[in-house]
Amino acid sequence: MTRTPLLAGNWKMHGTRQEAVALAQKLAETIGRVPGREVVVAPPFTALECVGRAIAGTQIRLGAQNVHWEPKGAYTGEIATAMLSEAGCTYVIIGHSERRQHFGETDETVNRRLHAALAAELVPIVCVGETLAERDADATAAVIERQVASGLAGASSAQIARCVIAYEPVWAIGTGVTATPGQAQEVHHAIRRQLVGLASDTTAGRVRILYGGSVKAANIDALMAEPDIDGALVGGASLDAAEFTRIVRYEEKEG
Ligand code: 13P
């Protein structure tokens, strides 16, 4: 089963519209067409539409950083699927550890967001990852298994096949400390085995599992060489056009 590698940039809370468009225009030039890759950028909500215009006609797709489960209502500060689709999004990041850590996101709310995204034909990028304390306590496997099982609860095999999972160890996010390719591969492999049980062999072979946490131009090639690492969810390095371009063009030796 071949999986198209997916390289996604999570811009987090970075970028006024002006800054976002400038970055998107550069990316449209450098990675607007890269055969055999899928590329996604997830700017702040306010910049979705203008970034969408800047990448129109390229292969770069638009993603959002969160979505609420209700279609509308009194949910101050939240955003609905129809609003994201209207702004041009086809992907949405769900359950990022920063949302879990700082904004009370739970396994249950991750699951509700997932179902809303699937119903709206948005591709969910479901984030899972252990903290340093959990890794030190040898709880990594259990934590990831719980997050994957509850995150995907109630999804059919066909729905799971449309999901992307991002393994982002919390201790590697924004710290400059990347999981070694071996550490990441071990968790990715365990997730894929779990997907066999939750869905099927075929589905497990289809789901892209991304690695995230201090991904840079300097470490992407080694990460992508692992059999179960199908792409990356990139934070800081996705804000630098040259760096993200090199990440998307991993493997290709730049001359
Ligand atoms: P960094 O690449 O800045 O470590 O962030 C990773 C991340 O959280 C992507 O969602």
Side-chain angles (χ1 to χ4, degrees):
M1 173 64 63
T2 48
R3 298 176 288 270
T4 307
L6 171 60
L7 292 308
N10 174 9
W11 294 3
K12 307 191 181 184
M13 199 172 73
H14 293 284
T16 60
R17 288 160 58 91
Q18 200 180 359
E19 290 162 343
V21 167
L23 176 56
Q25 282 171 342
K26 281 189 209 154
L27 297 178
E29 274 171 36
T30 57
I31 48 172
R33 289 261 156 261
V34 185
R37 308 280 147 93
E38 270 182 50
V39 181
V40 171
V41 292
F45 296 134
T46 48
L48 285 172
E49 208 157 0
C50 56
V51 166
R53 275 195 297 275
I55 59 176
T58 75
Q59 71 168 48
I60 306 172
R61 296 286 168 262
L62 201 56
Q65 298 176 19
N66 192 19
V67 69
H68 195 256
W69 51 87
E70 293 292 344
K72 62 170 83 163
Y75 300 102
T76 304
E78 292 286 332
I79 195 149
T81 53
M83 299 168 187
L84 298 182
S85 299
E86 185 184 47
C89 289
T90 47
Y91 287 79
V92 60
I93 298 168
I94 290 175
H96 191 280
S97 67
E98 285 152 15
R99 301 230 41 99
R100 295 180 192 254
Q101 262 185 314
H102 306 305
F103 303 103
E105 189 84 69
T106 65
D107 290 338
E108 195 211 332
T109 54
V110 169
N111 184 247
R112 296 179 79 173
R113 295 182 203 278
L114 174 102
H115 282 286
L118 286 169
E121 305 281 330
L122 292 164
V123 177
I125 302 177
V126 184
C127 301
V128 298
E130 82 285 3
T131 62
L132 186 58
E134 289 164 340
R135 176 160 282 263
D136 287 346
D138 269 338
T140 300
V143 168
I144 302 302
E145 196 178 329
R146 188 203 74 225
Q147 291 178 345
V148 170
S150 38
L152 300 181
S156 68
S157 200
Q159 286 176 321
I160 291 176
R162 286 169 40 214
C163 294
V164 174
I165 295 177
Y167 169 55
E168 300 203 306
V170 176
W171 48 271
I173 296 178
T175 57
V177 182
T178 323
T180 64
Q183 283 173 322
Q185 166 60 24
E186 187 182 351
V187 175
H188 284 224
H189 184 65
I191 294 172
R192 204 175 304 285
R193 285 178 56 94
Q194 188 181 356
L195 292 175
V196 174
L198 292 175
S200 69
D201 254 331
T202 318
T203 297
R206 260 192 207 142
V207 172
R208 266 93 52 93
I209 307 176
L210 314 183
Y211 169 77
S214 299
V215 172
K216 307 179 198 67
N219 55 32
I220 187 70
D221 293 347
L223 287 162
M224 292 305 293
E226 297 292 338
D228 288 297
I229 300 184
D230 308 314
L233 183 54
V234 186
S238 73
L239 297 170
D240 179 320
E243 188 82 4
F244 190 60
T245 295
R246 175 62 183 81
I247 290 169
V248 169
R249 294 183 178 279
Y250 76 89
E251 255 179 19
E252 292 178 1
K253 308 266 183 288
E254 304 229 296

